[in-house]
Amino acid sequence: MSLPNLSAIAVRERSVTLFFLLLILAGGIYAFLSLGRAEDPNFTVRVMMVSAQWPGADVETLEAEVVDPIEKEIQNVSDIDAIKTTIRPGAAYLQVEFEDFVTSEALPDRFYEVRRRMQDIRASLPAGVRGPQVNEDFSDVYFSLMALTGESRSQRERLEVIESLRDRLERVDGVNKAQIFGEREERVFIQFDTAKLQRLGVTTDELLAQIRQFNALAPAGRIETQGATLRLRVDNTLSDPEEIARLPIRIGDQQIRLQDIAEVERGYQDPPQQLIRAHGEDALLLGVVMQSGANGQAFGERLATFVDEQQSQIPADMQLSVLTNQADAIDAAVNLFQWKFLIALLVVTGVSILAIGLKAGVVVGIAIPVTLGATFMVMLAMGMNLDRITLGALIIALGLLVDDAIITIEMMLVKMEEGVDRIQAASYAWSVTAAPMLVGTLVTVSGFVPIGFAKSMVGEYAGNIFWILAISLILSWLVAVIFTPYLGVKLMPAPKAGTETLPPTQKYPRLRRLITFCVNYKRSVSALTLLALVASIAGLAGPVQKQFFPASDRTEVTVTVDMPEGTSIQATNRTVEALEAIAAEADGVDSMSAYVGAGAPRYFISATPEQPSSAFAELLIVTADPAARDALIERFNRAIDQGEFTQARIRVERLRYGPPVTWPVSYRVLGEDPERVRRIAGRVRDQMAQSPYTVDPHLEWGGQVPSIHLDWDEAALVRKGFTPQRVAQQLNRLLDGEVVTELREGYPTVRLEAIGDRVPLDQARSVAGQEARIRALELRNPAGDAVPLTSVADIDIVFENPVLKRHNRATSLAVNADIQGIGTKGAHAAIWPEIEAMNADLPPGYEIQIAGSEEQSAQAQASIRALLPVMVALMLMLIMLQMRSFSGLFITLMTAPLGLIGAVIALLAFGQPFGFVATLGLIGLAGILMRNALILTQQVADNRQAGMEDREAIIEAAVQRARPVMLTAVAAGLAFVPLTMDSFWGPLAYVLIGGVLVGTVVTLLAVPAVYAWVHRT
């Protein structure tokens, strides 16, 4: 190399070298203790929510008048990937997703553009539309969810306490924001006695107008004086229900109090939009978002201290409990890493000692903490955290970063056995191995370039694998050429004078005979290698199970409840209460929370909060350990299988890593006409049902629900003093209640609501029974006369859509299913050909798209494949610059896929699935094996330059490099063993173990054969 001999300098300037060695170790310890801790890496969820409400509108009207204009406006924003819209009666929810290549720095600008456009369009929407509202915090991940319970206290009392807790919590170091969930809107109800109103000859509308006047906030003028300006203040404020009940009401010539004709009482929104319980009790939640880059372990300790302190300060009949806490997962991950790191360190050092001796093995062992110390310092400077990805990447690096140190020390040993003194041996190691080691290291790093720069969610999530490996491996080269020679000179004994050593050509006779055999039968060995590679490809495509991302090892259990669309929240709640009773009887339950009417806040990076729906509920249970988790899942599934919950579709699951995917197999039907889309989706469902691998294929929506339709007799309506609006107001007042005014009680706002004689509808009655009740209703005309509803309208039961969903402005209906007996990719491969054929026959404007896990997997894989040419180009340039021959380039590249042989063997032998994480290992494996081949072929070139014949040069190169190559392979393989016990990294570890061990053996045997074949030796 043109660089100065760093090894010779390090050996010569020993004091300086020792100083920097100690400095790196001390700095590494400081950096490790200072690095932030988190469960998952900082990750940008490129999603925002837009919502709008139009009370009284059905889904078709809302779609045409509100949703379509909003979607058109959003579609004009740059870099929109998808707009997923859910429309329910009176409300629409739009999930706006941006392209994966939008950076976290550019995302706020996109959010601002959407927010600005929503403000601009507000004036052009129909009268009565509320919004659109923009939620930019939809992507927040809550570090902890805490519950405040106390059934003996009212919600107002609990709300005062939890608001005080939130204010104090926001002052805790590391808190980004704190949010309250579960608050039911408080109301003050006025229920009129209709019979009294009729006797008095007054209408409800007249009374409400008088009540509003007592709460009207209006200026009363001002008086100018020689000094200050005097402003007149009128006491027009209603707040206390007793005060409202005593309001004077004028009816004709007489004056009475409101309490004489109505009852006034406090209550809550009924029916509620969402119910939240903790441990079976009504609860208010406090969600905490941690600041980016904060130390999760330290933050968790501060939160625990906060909870302990506040528990003693809140009223004794209230309890503050922690429902979810990322600190537990962070503690477990960091502690596990430390154990795995210790095991890997001992394994690598032990293998080195057994292979090359005690002192040489100790030198290799010292290289590990030195390299990691320098790596921690660079990580701290770059603002990285210790999280699931970086910790796993560091353990992977443990198996690779000793390669250069082993090669260096092994070369020193070889020269010292030849009688060269230690200092000259260190210098020789630089001149012979430094360049190929550096190029080999860069080739290995190049193998992880695709994941480091992939423009996708998984690329951002797992991209630090590349950066950690690049930092640690490049630093390992520096350690190998600077500190390893220094330590070798200091620790290894000098060669004894007169010691006889065997000539290099007489060492390892058995290995030499084996390699000679491979060279003699080069065509057969090459053919067998190719055959093994083809067989491994077939094995990967066939019997190896496939998956996108594995299940998490966290102890949460989620139970989702999907009732038929249109189900009331009370009916959904009864189902959830039955599920809670099952969990309450189980052992090992640490916390349990129920969310009825909407999903839980995002407590895990891969979880997606479900939008409001009275037919949906979620139960979140945290268990003590994996055994308790699995036992609880079995308990739930047993109850479901016994038919205890036939009224709902209930799924009991563990958390899963990776992008949020609800269903493993899903297909999206798009079109214009909802009825036609529903028919096509039904055919897709029938086709999926024929597969033995699907469980419960069903339509995401599609069923219609009954509604009571009023067909006006317009002449009778006008003749009796009504308008459609007046009738709707009266019916709404009778059934739901009418907002009169807003009371000024501070935050939150309390509405004063008139409910007339609330119709006592029995929820247990059938639709026909409820229809009969509605037919019996009476209206009040302006004169106060009772008018039967049936005299102004015909009443019929009609069916309507309770929900419509759209995807990029087209009607969208997903067909979903669980799977059994096979992985996601296998199930999709079995189902898709028939559906694809169906897709080809659809009319223009209609199509069936792949959704669910396969869609996310395809996007992730595409982002990786897009960078494979860059990876290959980098490798080609590096290899060519080192080898300077096309034959050397070809032979080195030929070894890239050989790791697949061992990887498939390992996956099949241990029953491991092949997914996205394993794919990363397979890509990186190509660089590892090419590195070995590069060093081997370079040794052949060096032997030929030293005067050996081609045949001898090939055989001797394989023998010379066998010990360091096999030593590094065994060390790496054993270092990866601790990762096999990790649910996230396990498949990748098996790929690397099998690929490195088997691939290295194949490389040592096949490369000489191919080299001899190419050079016709």
Side-chain angles (χ1 to χ4, degrees):
M1 294 185 67
S2 58
L3 289 174
N5 192 322
L6 298 180
S7 299
I9 296 173
V11 172
R12 185 175 66 246
E13 305 292 340
R14 299 184 189 183
S15 297
V16 175
T17 305
L18 178 60
F19 168 77
F20 281 105
L21 177 65
L22 297 175
L23 182 64
I24 290 173
L25 289 174
I29 294 172
Y30 170 80
F32 178 76
L33 297 175
S34 302
L35 284 169
R37 265 74 165 172
E39 181 180 10
D40 290 286
N42 292 331
F43 178 71
T44 304
V45 181
R46 296 168 175 81
V47 178
M48 68 187 307
M49 293 299 301
V50 176
S51 60
Q53 298 78 39
W54 193 7
D58 59 30
V59 294
E60 288 80 10
T61 303
L62 200 58
E63 178 185 33
E65 302 292 331
V66 178
V67 170
D68 195 56
I70 290 177
E71 288 179 337
K72 286 180 180 177
E73 198 67 25
I74 293 175
Q75 207 169 37
N76 292 326
V77 178
S78 302
D79 305 325
I80 294 290
D81 178 47
I83 305 173
K84 300 178 180 179
T85 305
T86 300
I87 311 171
R88 301 187 187 278
Y93 307 94
L94 294 81
Q95 182 170 309
V96 183
E97 300 179 359
F98 292 87
E99 295 283 1
D100 288 342
F101 56 73
V102 178
T103 64
S104 57
E105 293 78 15
L107 194 60
D109 293 337
R110 303 297 187 276
F111 282 1
Y112 168 76
E113 181 69 13
V114 173
R115 186 170 63 252
R116 184 184 63 79
R117 288 179 178 274
M118 293 302 96
Q119 291 173 348
D120 293 344
I121 200 176
R122 189 170 296 171
S124 63
L125 296 176
V129 174
R130 301 173 190 164
Q133 301 95 11
V134 177
N135 178 11
E136 300 179 26
D137 299 329
F138 181 71
S139 60
D140 285 344
V141 179
Y142 290 90
F143 186 91
S144 180
L145 293 176
M146 294 174 277
L148 180 69
T149 55
E151 289 195 327
S152 63
R153 298 296 188 110
S154 68
Q155 177 186 271
R156 174 173 286 269
E157 292 173 311
R158 285 186 278 124
L159 188 59
E160 290 176 355
V161 173
I162 203 167
E163 285 179 342
S164 177
L165 287 172
R166 178 194 58 193
D167 294 341
R168 292 195 293 273
L169 179 59
E170 287 179 335
R171 294 193 289 270
V172 173
D173 184 29
V175 172
N176 181 28
K177 68 178 69 172
Q179 183 76 32
I180 296 174
F181 300 94
E183 175 190 352
R184 287 180 63 180
E185 290 188 21
E186 190 174 358
R187 299 279 195 270
V188 173
F189 295 108
I190 303 176
Q191 185 168 357
F192 291 104
D193 186 329
T194 307
K196 288 184 179 181
L197 298 185
Q198 188 175 4
R199 288 196 301 270
L200 293 171
V202 66
T203 64
T204 306
D205 291 336
E206 294 171 344
L207 297 175
L208 296 184
Q210 292 190 50
I211 295 171
R212 290 188 181 99
Q213 294 301 314
F214 281 99
N215 198 47
L217 184 63
R222 62 185 178 181
I223 300 174
E224 299 292 339
T225 71
Q226 292 181 349
T229 298
L230 302 180
R231 299 184 184 276
L232 276 68
R233 303 296 184 192
V234 180
D235 187 9
N236 260 22
T237 300
L238 295 180
S239 58
D240 183 42
E242 294 183 1
E243 177 189 356
I244 296 171
R246 293 192 299 270
L247 284 178
I249 300 295
R250 186 171 185 82
I251 301 176
D253 295 332
Q254 58 180 316
Q255 179 176 303
I256 63 174
R257 295 191 180 277
L258 181 60
Q259 62 190 10
D260 296 331
I261 56 175
E263 294 182 2
V264 181
E265 61 181 2
R266 283 191 182 272
Y268 296 95
Q269 179 187 24
D270 187 25
Q273 186 176 34
Q274 185 180 22
L275 296 171
I276 295 180
R277 286 190 297 276
H279 309 291
E281 298 182 22
D282 289 341
L284 293 173
L285 296 193
L286 191 56
V288 186
V289 179
M290 184 178 72
Q291 291 177 357
S292 177
N295 187 318
Q297 276 185 309
F299 182 64
E301 293 172 359
R302 291 193 292 272
L303 277 185
T305 301
F306 173 84
V307 172
D308 291 340
E309 291 175 350
Q310 301 306 315
Q311 187 67 63
S312 61
Q313 297 182 21
I314 63 176
D317 55 351
M318 292 187 187
Q319 294 79 40
L320 181 64
S321 57
V322 177
L323 299 178
T324 67
N325 190 5
Q326 285 189 19
D328 296 336
I330 295 171
D331 289 341
V334 173
N335 292 337
L336 189 60
F337 163 75
Q338 291 171 346
W339 278 107
K340 290 177 179 177
F341 167 73
L342 179 60
I343 292 171
L345 177 60
L346 294 175
V347 165
V348 172
T349 304
V351 170
S352 301
I353 290 173
L354 290 175
I356 56 179
L358 175 61
K359 294 187 176 181
V362 169
V363 171
V364 172
I366 294 174
I368 297 174
V370 174
T371 304
L372 286 180
T375 302
F376 291 144
M377 293 168 67
V378 175
M379 289 175 62
L380 183 63
M382 294 178 65
M384 292 184 177
N385 292 331
L386 289 175
D387 52 49
R388 188 188 318 280
I389 298 300
T390 55
L391 289 174
L394 284 168
I395 296 177
I396 294 172
L398 283 177
L400 302 176
L401 56 82
V402 296
D403 290 10
D404 290 343
I406 289 175
I407 291 171
T408 298
I409 206 69
E410 197 273 342
M411 180 57 69
M412 287 183 65
L413 286 173
V414 169
K415 301 311 294 181
M416 289 169 64
E417 289 173 356
E418 295 176 359
V420 177
D421 67 68
R422 290 173 296 179
I423 296 177
Q424 289 181 339
S427 300
Y428 183 81
W430 164 271
S431 61
V432 174
T433 62
M437 282 195 312
L438 177 59
V439 173
T441 296
L442 295 177
V443 168
T444 302
V445 170
S446 300
F448 293 92
V449 162
I451 188 57
F453 296 92
K455 299 297 183 181
S456 65
M457 286 192 295
V458 293
E460 184 176 5
Y461 180 78
N464 277 341
I465 295 176
F466 165 77
W467 293 107
I468 295 298
L469 290 174
I471 293 167
S472 60
L473 293 182
I474 292 172
L475 289 174
S476 74
W477 178 82
L478 290 171
V479 170
V481 299
I482 297 174
F483 297 112
T484 299
Y486 163 77
L487 292 170
V489 170
K490 293 288 290 183
L491 297 180
M492 289 197 301
K496 296 180 181 179
T499 301
E500 293 185 4
T501 59
L502 291 174
T505 56
Q506 296 182 22
K507 292 181 178 180
Y508 312 116
R510 294 179 181 177
L511 176 62
R512 180 173 283 100
R513 285 196 295 270
L514 178 60
I515 294 174
T516 301
F517 175 85
C518 293
V519 171
N520 290 339
Y521 296 93
K522 47 187 174 290
R523 288 183 174 80
S524 299
V525 171
S526 301
L528 286 173
T529 303
L530 180 60
L531 184 63
L533 180 60
V534 171
S536 64
I537 294 173
L540 186 63
V544 173
Q545 290 192 8
K546 315 298 189 304
Q547 69 173 188
F548 185 27
F549 273 92
S552 169
D553 54 2
R554 286 179 46 154
T555 59
E556 286 90 343
V557 175
T558 62
V559 184
T560 55
V561 179
D562 285 291
M563 303 286 283
E565 285 289 350
T567 301
S568 68
I569 194 169
Q570 290 87 354
T572 305
N573 188 46
R574 288 193 292 271
T575 300
V576 176
E577 288 174 340
L579 291 165
E580 287 177 291
I582 292 176
E585 298 173 356
D587 296 327
V589 173
D590 287 347
S591 71
M592 175 173 61
S593 51
Y595 308 84
V596 186
R602 194 191 301 267
Y603 57 91
F604 181 58
I605 194 169
S606 296
T608 298
E610 186 74 17
Q611 294 307 304
S613 169
S614 61
F616 177 83
E618 182 178 1
L619 194 61
L620 174 60
I621 304 166
V622 181
T623 59
D625 50 51
R629 176 197 63 201
D630 297 340
L632 182 60
I633 292 175
E634 175 60 28
R635 180 186 286 264
F636 276 126
N637 286 332
R638 187 164 55 248
I640 295 169
D641 293 341
Q642 291 172 354
E644 296 184 23
F645 298 96
T646 56
Q647 73 274 25
R649 176 174 292 108
I650 297 176
R651 300 179 74 208
V652 184
E653 295 184 297
R654 295 165 53 182
L655 299 180
R656 300 194 72 85
Y657 297 120
V661 176
T662 305
W663 296 94
V665 176
S666 180
Y667 301 100
R668 185 188 305 116
V669 182
L670 299 178
E672 181 178 353
D673 179 30
E675 290 302 320
R676 197 163 192 175
V677 168
R678 186 182 288 115
R679 289 195 298 271
I680 296 171
R683 291 167 54 198
V684 174
R685 177 190 57 199
D686 295 341
Q687 184 62 49
M688 293 173 67
Q690 296 178 19
S691 171
Y693 306 124
T694 58
V695 178
D696 186 28
H698 62 277
L699 305 186
E700 182 182 25
W701 59 272
Q704 294 189 317
V705 298
S707 65
I708 298 177
H709 182 72
L710 304 182
D711 187 10
W712 303 117
D713 182 340
E714 295 176 352
L717 194 69
V718 174
R719 186 169 59 250
K720 296 183 179 183
F722 291 104
T723 63
Q725 182 181 17
R726 184 181 182 88
V727 174
Q729 287 176 341
Q730 289 197 31
L731 290 175
N732 186 60
R733 188 181 304 148
L734 288 169
L735 299 175
D736 287 340
E738 177 184 350
V739 176
V740 181
T741 185
E742 292 181 347
L743 306 182
R744 288 190 284 280
E745 292 187 341
Y747 179 84
T749 301
V750 177
R751 293 178 179 177
L752 180 64
E753 197 168 283
I755 56 176
D757 279 335
R758 182 181 285 275
V759 179
L761 295 177
D762 184 359
Q763 296 175 4
R765 285 178 175 267
S766 64
V767 172
Q770 303 290 28
E771 180 191 8
R773 288 277 182 126
I774 296 297
R775 288 179 180 277
L777 292 180
E778 291 183 339
L779 306 173
R780 300 289 168 178
N781 65 14
D785 300 328
V787 178
L789 179 61
T790 52
S791 68
V792 296
D794 293 330
I795 300 176
D796 297 308
I797 298 293
V798 299
F799 287 85
E800 66 179 20
N801 292 314
V803 62
L804 282 177
K805 296 198 174 186
R806 291 159 61 95
H807 184 90
N808 289 338
R809 301 188 58 213
T811 299
S812 170
L813 178 50
V815 188
N816 307 316
D818 275 315
I819 56 176
Q820 62 182 3
I822 198 172
T824 301
K825 288 187 176 295
H828 169 71
I831 298 168
W832 178 244
E834 297 296 332
I835 297 178
E836 190 174 27
M838 188 188 306
N839 200 14
D841 296 332
L842 294 180
Y846 293 83
E847 65 173 318
I848 304 170
Q849 295 180 347
I850 300 171
S853 180
E854 266 309 293
E855 180 182 38
Q856 294 292 336
S857 177
Q859 291 175 356
Q861 300 289 358
S863 67
I864 297 296
R865 286 196 298 270
L867 289 165
L868 288 179
V870 177
M871 179 193 80
V872 173
L874 287 173
M875 289 180 171
L876 288 174
M877 287 189 292
L878 290 167
I879 296 169
M880 193 62 182
L881 288 173
Q882 177 62 31
M883 298 305 303
R884 303 176 187 271
S885 71
F886 283 99
S887 61
L889 176 66
F890 166 75
I891 293 169
T892 303
L893 284 177
M894 179 222 44
T895 61
L898 297 183
L900 184 62
I901 300 171
V904 171
I905 293 173
L907 292 174
L908 289 174
F910 294 95
Q912 294 294 307
F914 183 78
F916 181 79
V917 180
T919 301
L920 302 182
L922 195 60
I923 294 173
L925 188 60
I928 295 171
L929 294 181
M930 282 194 288
R931 178 184 188 278
N932 291 337
L934 179 68
I935 293 174
L936 180 57
T937 50
Q938 181 63 49
Q939 186 65 53
V940 174
D942 292 343
N943 289 349
R944 293 173 64 188
Q945 190 174 2
M948 291 186 185
E949 296 292 333
D950 286 352
R951 177 184 174 84
E952 182 184 6
I954 295 170
I955 295 173
E956 289 307 315
V959 173
Q960 290 169 341
R961 306 316 306 161
R963 184 169 71 169
V965 167
M966 283 305 304
L967 179 57
T968 58
V970 172
L974 293 177
F976 296 145
V977 168
L979 274 183
T980 60
M981 297 174 283
D982 187 273
S983 60
F984 184 84
W985 295 104
L988 177 142
Y990 280 105
V991 165
L992 290 177
I993 291 171
V996 168
L997 293 177
V998 177
T1000 300
V1001 173
V1002 173
T1003 298
L1004 282 175
L1005 301 179
V1007 167
V1010 173
Y1011 201 108
W1013 191 5
V1014 169
H1015 289 270
R1016 301 179 189 214
T1017 300

